[in-house]
Amino acid sequence: MKSPPQSILLGTAGRLDRFAHLCGRLLGWFTLVMVLIQSLVVALRYGFDGGSLALQDAVTYLHGAAFMLGLAYALQAGAHVRVDVFYRTLSARGKAWVDAVGCLIFLLPVCTFIAIGSWQFAASSWAVSETSASADGLAGVYLLKSLMPLAAITLALQGVSQFARALHTLMQVETSASDTTSFRVATSQAAEKTTGKLHPLVREATVEASP
C-alpha cells in the first residue's frame, strides 16, 4: 500500500505525463500539416512558377512549434541524449538518483535560465505586435518568439514529473528495505519467545541445531 507522499508524487507525475503526451500528439499533427504545406510550396514554385511567403512562414512557425514544444514530450518518451553506457547498468535506485540529481542540478536550472532570458525577448515582441519584415509574410512573429519561454516552462514541468518519479522510486526502495528489516526483527523476536517457552531439554536441542 502506498503512503500519502508516494501517492501525491505518482499523481503529480501522472498528470504531467498526460499533459506532455497530449502535447506530443498535437505536435504530431503540426508536423503533418507542415509537410503538406511545404509540399504545396514546392509544387507552386516548380509547377506553376509561383510562391507564397505566408506559406513559407507558416512552415517556419510549425517547425518551431514542433521542435520547441516537443522537448517536453521527448523527455517524457526518453528520447533525449544520455550516457546510456553507464545509466543502463545501474540498479533502479541508481537510476533514480541519476534522474533526481540531473533534474535538480542541470535540467531545472537550465530551464529557468532560458525562461528568464527569453521572457523579455518575447515581451518586447508582444509590446509592438511584431509582424513579418516582408509585406507578404505571415503576421504574429510575437507568437513564434513566445515559443522560447513556453518551451522552457513545459520542459521544466516534465522535469518535475521525472523528479517526482525518481523520488517515488527512492522512497519505495527505502520502504521495502525498512519492511524487510522489521520483518526479520519481528521473526527473530517471535522465535526467541517460542524458544523460551519450550522445555529446557528441547530448547537446548533447538539452540544446538540452529546454525
Side-chain angles (χ1 to χ4, degrees), residues 4-30:
Q6 292 179 348
S7 300
I8 293 174
L9 288 175
L10 279 183
T12 302
R15 286 188 289 270
L16 292 175
D17 284 345
R18 286 192 294 271
F19 173 73
H21 184 71
L22 179 63
C23 291
R25 295 187 63 178
L26 179 62
L27 293 173
W29 288 104
F30 279 18

Side-chain angles (χ1 to χ4, degrees), residues 52-68:
S52 172
L53 290 177
L55 289 178
Q56 295 181 25
D57 287 347
V59 172
T60 302
Y61 280 45
L62 291 171
H63 182 268
F67 180 81
M68 298 298 292

Side-chain angles (χ1 to χ4, degrees), residues 34-210:
M34 180 183 67
V35 171
L36 294 177
I37 294 177
Q38 184 62 58
S39 300
L40 179 60
V41 169
V42 173
L44 289 174
R45 177 177 299 176
Y46 295 100
F48 300 94
D49 196 20
S52 172
L53 290 177
L55 289 178
Q56 295 181 25
D57 287 347
V59 172
T60 302
Y61 280 45
L62 291 171
H63 182 268
F67 180 81
M68 298 298 292
L69 300 183
L71 294 175
Y73 176 70
L75 180 61
Q76 189 262 339
H80 282 262
V81 177
R82 71 163 87 233
V83 187
D84 283 330
V85 175
F86 304 103
Y87 184 82
R88 64 185 179 185
T89 61
L90 298 176
S91 62
R93 180 181 175 83
K95 291 179 180 179
W97 272 112
V98 170
D99 291 338
V101 174
C103 285
L104 286 180
I105 296 181
F106 298 106
L107 180 61
L108 294 181
V110 168
C111 291
T112 303
F113 175 78
I114 294 175
I116 294 175
S118 61
W119 185 265
Q120 186 60 41
F121 179 70
S124 299
S125 181
W126 275 87
V128 297
S129 299
E130 186 177 1
T131 59
S132 176
S134 175
D136 298 331
L138 195 64
V141 175
Y142 49 89
L143 296 175
L144 183 63
K145 293 185 176 181
S146 299
L147 291 175
M148 296 179 65
L150 188 58
I153 293 172
T154 55
L155 184 59
L157 289 176
Q158 187 56 39
V160 171
S161 171
Q162 187 173 358
F163 180 73
R165 289 193 180 279
L167 277 185
H168 172 262
T169 300
L170 293 174
M171 293 173 64
Q172 196 172 28
V173 171
E174 292 291 344
T175 302
S176 300
S178 177
D179 292 343
T180 302
T181 303
S182 300
F183 176 76
R184 290 179 179 176
V185 171
T187 304
S188 177
Q189 292 176 350
E192 291 177 357
K193 292 180 180 179
T194 303
T195 304
K197 295 178 180 180
L198 297 176
H199 190 276
L201 294 178
V202 177
R203 183 169 63 247
E204 183 178 354
T206 302
V207 172
E208 292 178 355
S210 62

